[in-house]
Amino acid sequence: MTASLCGSRVKRREDPRFITGTGNYVADITLPDMVYVKFVRSPYAHALIKSVDASAAKEVKGVLGVYTGVDLKNKLAPVPCAWLVPTEPPIKVPEYRAVAVDKVRYVGDPVAVVVAESQAAAEEAAERVNVVYEPLPVVVDQEDAVKDGAPRLYEGIDKNTSFVWRLKGGDVESAFRQAEIVVKQRLVNQRLQPTAMETRAAVAEYDSARGEATLWVTSQNPHIHRLLISAMTGIPEQKLRVIAPDVGGGFGSKIQVYGFEAVVTLLSRELRRPVKWVETRSENYMSTIHGRAHVDYVELAAKRDGTILGLRVKTYANLGAYLTTAAPGVPTILFGIMLSGAYRIPAVECEVHGVLTNTAPVDAYRGAGRPEATYIVERMVDILAHELGMDPVDVRLKNFIPKDKFPYTVATGLLYDSGNYEETLKKAMSLVGYQRLREEQRRLREQGRLMGIGISTYVEVCGLGPSKVVRSTGFGLGLWDSAVVRVHPSGKVSVYTGAHPHGQGEETSFAQIAADELGVPFEDVEVVHGDTAMTPFGMGTYGSRTLPVAGMAIVGACRKVVEKAKKIAASLLEAREEDVVWEHGKFYVRGAPAKYKTIQEVALASYTAENLPPGMEPGLEVTHFYDPTNFVFPFGAHICVVEVDRETGEVKIQKYVAVDDCGNQINPMLVEGQVHGGITQGLAQALYEEAVYDSQGNLLTQSLNDYALPTTLEAPTYITDYTVTPSPVTPLGVKGVGETGTIAATPAVVNAVVDALAHLGIKHLDMPLKPEKIWKAVRQAESKQTTTTN
Amino acid sequence: MNGVEYTKEVEPRLLLVDFIRDHLGLTGTHIGCDTSNCGACTVIMNGRSVKSCTKFAVEADGAEILTIEGLASDGNLHPIQKAFWENHALQCGYCTPGFIMQAYWLLKHNPTPTEEEIRAGLSGNLCRCTGYQNIIKAVKAASEELRAKAPMASGG
């Protein structure tokens, strides 16, 4: 019975609190004597701060203090960046102050912070802080920012370029020399606003008697928050407790340790009162990180039979005004190494210019680098197919890494663990009825209707990651994870994980794993996460690493528990350890299964401790650190069918089929949920979402009125299916699935739309594919065709 | 509020959502935006669903309000709550109370909605995690469950 939990659609144990309104998010926390914070933010994208006058603000009833950047400068160290990618010349990291000292560099950059007895008083006072600015020329676009004469954000950072990162694998020059065809395309991967439904928030309380601070914060990685906030505030790590309670979505935007959170922590110590800060949505859009923001120049070399020979990419990545926690690694490491996609591409070259501009910082948003890489590869394969007059399926089949070649080293240096790309594609084709659709497309085209079929056969690198490898990329820490498995005297189990699920459902799936491994009932296992005072140091939840890394730490801990329990059982059964058999939560002597000791009995014996083998420590508890030997590589095939309204340019998704392979599945219900949500974010990039700045650096998409999140009216119904190719890397054969949908969907949708328009002579359109853009392109194509026929 | 009468003196500028959360401590009603787009703050006021960020607390003087905390009765989950749980219609849970309250209103109003009607009825609520598919499935399941429980109720 217990052995079948993994693989079952177990209902989530997180849900009862959420469906009854009894979840506990940071904004829900109220402490006695609490005070409230409001940041005063720059309305200019680039300006010198000439003076800050807080006198009128201080007159507002209930105001306790107003702090400027100058006031905080000596109390708070700069906000650190934790991923310094190795480049030549070395990466330039600008000083990033939580509150700007003498210059602001994007609209929303904080210039002062107000603390008051109530939120309303803090807000009122913030409006009365009088700041005199001297505006400076603004640069928003990364390609403009590297031009000679462009406004400069920092002294000493030439061309606003923080780094130029290069990757080269294989003989690229020779690939392009041998090419029978080279296709080139400029691709814009537009800036996105992550939009977790819960904005960021922090509550801090300082216990002056003990000299200890507690910070409740919207974090995907409480231990990393503790480490970096300790570094900024000077509160020693052991005196700082970080709790990330229920977190309302992150999608990468709650990985970063923000200056705001350090300010709140510091103020609780300064004022000796609990301090609360909750971001509004418009503040969230202004200064929580954004994602993507690439311009890519791509060249693909191939033979006329569709064999791909080489890929060359030059990228201008917009980093925004400052480098946040993981920012430099996203458009470089997480991007460049995935440019081979699912294909045998003998030579790959990539050059990434990391460019600072007067915009909000750009960092990891769901997929983080890998969607950008996949978009390039999957779009270019389609463009190549179109140029050669081949079916995009045939180009893919021709270039796939064959299933018998795994593990396979791609030109970018990664060792793909396992895969069967042809099988997922064929399964998706059969589910969608590919051949029939192509015939229908021909028929509809004759009627003047615009129907398109888009394919995306993605591979993702996740399960970040082997510490030795990630350290060589300049990441500040290793990327192992940890677990404590504590079997109590009653035989009940607490599992403490270093990860921090915030919607993914690991309170359930981790309990499934532990219950299976220990042979105890699911109900007897509690999963604890999110509190640095309770859980072992861990790296958190992002990069689809929670199951393949933190989950495997739990497996490792459970197996060590069983190992110890077996020794105790041998002693209780008066047998030699090698004669003891472990099965379904019981130990017995081989050949005598009737006389057994349960894991619960053994647990109790480990605490009564009088019958332990000589030299054994009492108790039944294990801490395990798991450092993976490699990344894992989920993959799949998504096929999207669209119809474009010729008159309005509107795209309607007719059908969406997703066949994913994330190895063995612990809880297929959770996998399906991740896939649905992931695809929705990916197709939203293709069709709707775009962060827009005007030339003066004003964010025009500063509210949900202007930033087009899909609703129930836009999101289609997905047909999902799976293949199972276990990973040889992880003990349970699992891979990650948190980002696959977002990675796969964007090119599937764009490929479908371009396919619908291809016969009109339209080869590419940049995202988001809004009706107006399509309508204009269709009109232009039609008028060209009319001119040609005339 | 959820069957309990409260008397409080409030500032005229206080929003209903802040009153519910900060003055009554009912933090199941959430805030996800500042432009009335997201629906995380949806409650039932005098039988109609409202985004409680669009109302002042004083407008609710004398009103009957139902929030997520008042939906289960005697420890029994409401069929909509149960359907959300059974159909994996939530992930981070932040938008969930708003969706459940909106679905509650929708099913009161139209006990037998088609998929299109469910989509239209929930289109003022935003979810970033689920892609909506399981939410729609849950509301459909809840409508069936509610009808099975009350076969004599009006057919909508």
Side-chain angles (χ1 to χ4, degrees):
Chain A
M1 284 175 300
T2 47
S4 63
L5 272 168
C6 286
S8 308
R9 299 175 71 94
V10 177
K11 276 200 303 181
R12 295 206 323 171
R13 49 165 57 159
E14 291 87 340
D15 289 6
R17 64 181 189 266
F18 296 135
I19 56 178
T20 53
T22 49
N24 183 34
Y25 301 89
V26 176
D28 300 341
I29 295 168
T30 304
L31 300 174
D33 221 19
M34 194 161 79
V35 296
Y36 300 82
V37 150
K38 183 79 183 173
F39 287 90
V40 179
R41 293 164 183 276
S42 168
Y44 292 98
H46 200 193
L48 296 173
I49 302 168
K50 302 306 282 184
S51 65
V52 182
D53 176 6
S55 52
K58 284 177 180 163
E59 281 167 23
V60 174
K61 192 171 165 245
V63 169
L64 297 165
V66 180
Y67 302 81
T68 65
V70 174
D71 298 334
L72 296 173
K73 195 177 171 189
N74 296 323
K75 295 178 174 172
L76 269 185
V79 185
C81 172
W83 202 341
L84 306 180
V85 293
T87 55
E88 197 47 58
I91 179 172
K92 297 181 187 77
V93 182
E95 186 177 271
Y96 180 9
R97 289 282 169 186
V99 177
V101 175
D102 46 15
K103 199 178 178 191
V104 288
R105 292 184 177 84
Y106 71 95
V107 170
D109 210 350
V111 290
V113 54
V114 177
V115 194
E117 297 281 357
S118 71
Q119 185 67 42
E123 283 175 24
E124 199 177 321
E127 283 176 20
R128 296 193 190 186
V129 175
N130 188 16
V131 186
V132 178
Y133 297 96
E134 182 184 318
L136 297 168
V138 171
V139 65
V140 165
D141 180 273
Q142 64 266 44
E143 289 186 284
D144 290 341
V146 298
K147 285 181 189 151
D148 289 332
R152 219 151 89 145
L153 269 75
Y154 298 93
E155 287 304 314
I157 302 189
D158 239 18
K159 292 180 180 295
N160 296 306
T161 300
S162 166
F163 58 82
V164 180
W165 180 85
R166 292 184 175 85
L167 174 75
K168 199 168 176 181
D171 190 343
V172 181
E173 287 73 22
S174 144
F176 276 81
R177 266 199 313 276
Q178 285 169 31
E180 294 163 4
I181 177 172
V182 173
V183 287
K184 299 182 183 185
Q185 186 62 51
R186 176 181 187 268
L187 298 170
V188 177
N189 208 299
Q190 82 273 29
R191 179 187 281 256
L192 300 176
Q193 298 167 192
T195 321
M197 291 318 300
E198 177 206 36
T199 58
R200 286 187 303 112
V203 172
E205 184 180 35
Y206 191 76
D207 178 340
S208 43
R210 292 173 179 270
E212 288 175 2
T214 303
L215 171 68
W216 290 264
V217 64
T218 48
S219 170
Q220 298 178 221
N221 31 240
H223 287 276
I224 302 213
H225 261 82
R226 184 179 61 169
L227 178 63
L228 298 188
I229 285 182
S230 161
M232 277 188 269
T233 58
I235 298 170
E237 225 181 331
Q238 81 280 11
K239 295 281 193 186
L240 177 60
R241 176 181 184 185
V242 172
I243 302 171
D246 289 324
V247 174
F251 313 110
S253 71
K254 293 169 182 169
I255 295 172
Q256 300 74 21
V257 182
Y258 294 85
F260 305 94
E261 299 153 355
V263 170
V264 170
T265 312
L266 177 81
L267 290 177
S268 74
R269 188 177 64 183
E270 294 282 310
L271 297 164
R272 299 288 200 262
R273 291 183 63 179
V275 177
K276 183 174 190 173
W277 169 68
V278 181
E279 194 185 50
T280 65
R281 176 60 62 192
S282 58
E283 289 180 299
N284 174 268
Y285 276 170
M286 265 193 281
S287 66
T288 286
I289 61 100
H290 292 171
R292 315 283 190 263
H294 273 212
V295 176
D296 305 298
Y297 291 87
V298 190
E299 295 175 80
L300 182 78
K303 293 204 263 187
R304 295 219 71 93
D305 67 356
T307 307
I308 300 170
L309 299 171
L311 179 71
R312 197 182 263 153
V313 179
K314 186 176 184 180
T315 293
Y316 292 90
N318 198 329
L319 303 169
Y322 302 101
L323 298 182
T324 44
T325 312
V330 175
T332 53
I333 311 297
L334 294 177
F335 165 73
I337 58 173
M338 279 320 291
L339 282 169
S340 193
Y343 312 106
R344 284 172 294 172
I345 306 182
V348 175
E349 185 178 5
C350 171
E351 178 181 300
V352 181
H353 297 248
V355 185
L356 296 154
T357 64
N358 294 119
T359 62
V362 179
D363 202 309
Y365 167 56
R366 199 172 191 171
R370 291 151 292 163
E372 294 90 315
T374 305
Y375 183 68
I376 288 175
V377 176
E378 292 304 300
R379 276 299 294 132
M380 294 310 285
V381 165
D382 259 42
I383 291 170
L384 175 67
H386 182 78
E387 287 296 318
L388 293 172
M390 286 175 75
D391 190 308
V393 164
D394 295 331
V395 177
R396 286 179 168 83
L397 290 174
K398 193 163 199 75
N399 290 285
F400 273 155
I401 299 162
K403 69 171 182 192
D404 56 358
K405 295 283 186 223
F406 289 92
Y408 183 87
T409 305
V410 287
T412 58
L414 286 175
L415 179 72
Y416 287 9
D417 60 344
S418 62
N420 189 347
Y421 305 152
E422 196 173 320
E423 191 192 1
T424 51
L425 177 55
K426 294 213 159 137
K427 195 164 188 177
M429 286 169 69
S430 121
L431 272 172
V432 83
Y434 187 73
Q435 293 313 334
R436 215 174 48 245
L437 280 172
R438 284 288 175 208
E439 282 153 31
E440 194 186 333
Q441 183 182 36
R442 267 189 289 279
R443 219 173 45 246
L444 290 173
R445 273 185 185 172
E446 281 164 22
Q447 300 167 21
R449 284 168 65 182
L450 306 174
M451 184 259 231
I453 307 155
I455 300 165
S456 165
T457 45
Y458 72 94
V459 181
E460 177 193 352
V461 56
C462 68
L464 310 177
S467 298
K468 207 169 174 175
V469 180
V470 297
R471 283 289 295 152
S472 75
T473 70
F475 194 78
L477 289 167
L479 273 176
W480 46 266
D481 225 296
S482 61
V484 171
V485 170
R486 181 175 298 156
V487 186
H488 302 286
S490 59
K492 311 285 184 196
V493 180
S494 294
V495 174
Y496 302 86
T497 170
H500 181 48
H502 45 280
Q504 296 84 350
E506 278 92 356
E507 283 176 35
T508 305
S509 59
F510 280 2
Q512 290 177 255
I513 291 174
D516 267 5
E517 288 288 330
L518 298 173
V520 300
F522 174 70
E523 299 71 35
D524 288 359
V525 182
E526 194 66 25
V527 175
V528 181
H529 62 93
D531 183 345
T532 58
M534 297 175 81
T535 60
F537 198 105
M539 299 303 169
T541 287
Y542 46 83
S544 305
R545 67 186 302 281
T546 309
L547 175 60
V549 186
M552 298 308 99
I554 293 170
V555 171
C558 289
R559 291 185 181 174
K560 283 182 183 168
V561 163
V562 171
E563 224 173 274
K564 179 172 180 180
K566 193 176 186 182
K567 289 188 168 69
I568 300 170
S571 164
L572 297 174
L573 291 163
E574 294 172 349
R576 290 185 311 168
E577 191 192 338
E578 50 272 36
D579 294 334
V580 172
V581 178
W582 160 245
E583 199 184 289
H584 299 313
K586 299 176 204 176
F587 298 95
Y588 57 85
V589 179
R590 186 169 291 107
K595 191 182 161 217
Y596 58 82
K597 291 286 172 192
T598 64
I599 182 85
Q600 290 84 357
E601 288 169 315
V602 174
L604 183 60
S606 78
Y607 288 93
T608 58
E610 80 273 25
N611 279 326
L612 297 180
M616 179 181 276
E617 296 170 9
L620 196 52
E621 170 173 335
V622 167
T623 302
H624 184 75
F625 291 82
Y626 173 79
D627 198 356
T629 54
N630 190 7
F631 303 98
V632 290
F633 296 84
F635 58 92
H638 288 209
I639 302 182
C640 176
V641 184
V642 300
E643 181 158 5
V644 176
D645 187 318
R646 202 167 190 132
E647 298 309 314
T648 64
E650 198 177 346
V651 175
K652 185 126 183 73
I653 292 176
Q654 306 283 22
K655 211 169 189 184
Y656 195 107
V657 166
V659 177
D660 295 288
D661 191 322
C662 55
N664 292 331
Q665 300 186 9
I666 304 301
N667 186 331
M669 182 188 80
L670 300 183
V671 170
E672 189 181 272
Q674 289 298 310
V675 170
H676 286 174
I679 298 172
T680 307
Q681 284 183 7
L683 77 82
Q685 172 172 25
L687 297 178
Y688 313 117
E689 292 181 25
E690 180 178 33
V692 183
Y693 281 98
D694 71 10
S695 63
Q696 288 310 299
N698 297 300
L699 180 62
L700 302 181
T701 46
Q702 209 183 301
S703 80
L704 277 163
N705 270 332
D706 311 298
Y707 190 74
L709 233 58
T711 72
T712 44
L713 297 178
E714 284 82 29
T717 301
Y718 308 110
I719 300 162
T720 53
D721 207 337
Y722 307 92
T723 59
V724 176
T725 310
S727 170
V729 175
T730 54
L732 297 185
V734 297
K735 300 182 176 186
V737 77
E739 297 157 300
T740 57
T742 313
I743 290 167
T746 312
V749 176
V750 175
N751 283 346
V753 174
V754 175
D755 184 58
L757 308 173
H759 63 294
L760 304 175
I762 295 167
K763 291 181 179 173
H764 177 72
L765 289 172
D766 278 322
M767 303 180 287
L769 300 171
K770 293 191 177 177
E772 186 191 2
K773 193 183 280 174
I774 293 175
W775 185 86
K776 279 183 181 160
V778 170
R779 287 297 92 86
Q780 210 174 16
E782 282 173 344
S783 69
K784 239 188 236 165
Q785 281 185 336
T786 322
T787 333
T788 331
T789 31
N790 286 349
Chain B
M1 181 74 63
N2 302 328
V4 181
E5 208 177 301
Y6 292 94
T7 308
K8 300 247 177 191
E9 201 166 309
V10 299
E11 280 193 67
R13 65 177 172 182
L14 184 73
L15 296 176
L16 177 57
V17 64
D18 293 325
F19 178 71
I20 293 171
R21 288 177 54 80
D22 300 341
H23 293 235
L24 303 184
L26 297 170
T27 53
T29 302
H30 296 149
I31 300 171
C33 70
D34 36 25
T35 46
S36 304
N37 293 90
C38 80
C41 65
T42 304
V43 300
I44 307 298
M45 178 163 145
N46 293 332
R48 293 182 56 196
S49 84
V50 298
K51 292 181 175 176
S52 58
C53 71
T54 63
K55 294 269 174 214
F56 289 113
V58 291
E59 289 179 272
D61 194 10
E64 229 172 82
I65 295 176
L66 179 68
T67 69
I68 187 74
E69 288 91 345
L71 203 54
S73 57
D74 306 327
N76 294 319
L77 292 176
H78 186 278
I80 300 173
Q81 292 171 309
K82 237 166 56 192
F84 268 63
W85 190 7
E86 275 158 11
N87 290 283
H88 188 31
L90 58 144
Q91 289 179 30
C92 82
Y94 198 78
C95 72
T96 308
F99 265 100
I100 289 179
M101 298 318 288
Q102 182 62 17
Y104 176 86
W105 172 82
L106 174 71
L107 295 181
K108 279 264 181 233
H109 192 72
N110 177 3
T112 55
T114 61
E115 182 181 327
E116 279 61 41
E117 287 167 339
I118 295 173
R119 285 180 180 273
L122 299 179
S123 63
N125 291 63
L126 293 173
C127 169
R128 192 57 156 169
C129 294
T130 64
Y132 304 108
Q133 188 157 329
N134 288 346
I135 294 179
I136 292 158
K137 207 165 121 192
V139 175
K140 188 100 198 137
S143 80
E144 281 156 19
E145 165 86 16
L146 280 164
R147 262 179 297 148
K149 273 194 161 175
M152 290 335 233
S154 85

